[in-house]
Amino acid sequence: METRDKLAAALVLPGQARVLRAFGGEIHFHLTGKETGGRQTLWTEITPPGGGPPPHYHANEDETFFVVEGRVSFYKDGKWQEVGPGTAAFLPKGVVHTFKNVGTTPSRMLVSTSPSGFETFFARCSEEFLRPGGPNMERIVAISAEHGIHFVE
């Protein structure tokens, strides 16, 4: 029998998620690398109407989305596709992608990245967005690149 690293089981109860805000959205981190031994990060992404990140790709993480509420349009393979609740999307590292809330109410998605690390990236960006006068976008781009997240035109 193959031996594996022993991890403690983790439960994060309602109200215990770490909440961060940046890029106009709100993220509730349910599981991070701390709880998963660096294997994955799991969060709820709440995005206002019209919100979403610029097109980008991840050098390190695969990303999985599950739409819980709202209308979201995903960009992948050079095309946009509008979807609703119950839709799942898998975007492996290296694939240029983005999403946009195309509805009239906030969208809510369950998102996972593997391996973990997105929580560190987002915490650093959140600090930048809290600066008086707003974020220095050159700094956001630099932080993103340090975490293997690259924006494309």
Side-chain angles (χ1 to χ4, degrees):
M1 181 174 189
E2 181 181 329
T3 59
R4 298 187 63 168
D5 294 338
K6 295 262 183 178
L7 285 176
L11 288 174
V12 177
L13 301 173
Q16 292 181 333
R18 180 179 182 198
V19 179
L20 295 173
R21 291 169 184 81
F23 302 102
E26 181 176 286
I27 289 187
H28 297 241
F29 285 104
H30 306 295
L31 296 170
T32 66
K34 180 180 175 184
E35 294 85 19
T36 67
R39 294 179 182 167
Q40 94 178 101
T41 300
L42 177 70
W43 70 91
T44 297
E45 172 113 17
I46 302 168
T47 307
H56 63 281
Y57 67 92
H58 302 250
N60 305 316
E61 304 93 6
D62 295 327
E63 192 166 26
T64 304
F65 297 83
F66 183 78
V67 180
V68 177
E69 295 175 6
R71 299 293 301 171
V72 178
S73 189
F74 283 96
Y75 177 83
K76 66 174 189 59
D77 301 327
K79 298 177 188 167
W80 286 94
Q81 183 172 354
E82 187 175 326
V83 300
T87 301
F90 174 71
L91 299 159
K93 65 183 173 183
V95 171
V96 174
H97 66 280
T98 190
F99 65 87
K100 182 176 182 178
N101 177 351
V102 294
T104 58
T105 60
S107 63
R108 185 177 297 264
M109 294 188 289
L110 191 59
V111 185
S112 175
T113 52
S114 178
S116 66
F118 190 83
E119 65 274 20
T120 305
F121 157 73
F122 204 82
R124 291 182 67 199
C125 289
S126 180
E127 289 175 5
E128 189 66 30
F129 274 85
L130 291 173
R131 289 171 46 118
N136 174 332
M137 292 312 289
E138 287 181 12
R139 182 74 184 123
I140 293 292
V141 169
I143 291 169
S144 299
E146 289 170 21
H147 289 271
I149 299 169
H150 303 280
F151 297 106
V152 297
E153 294 294 322

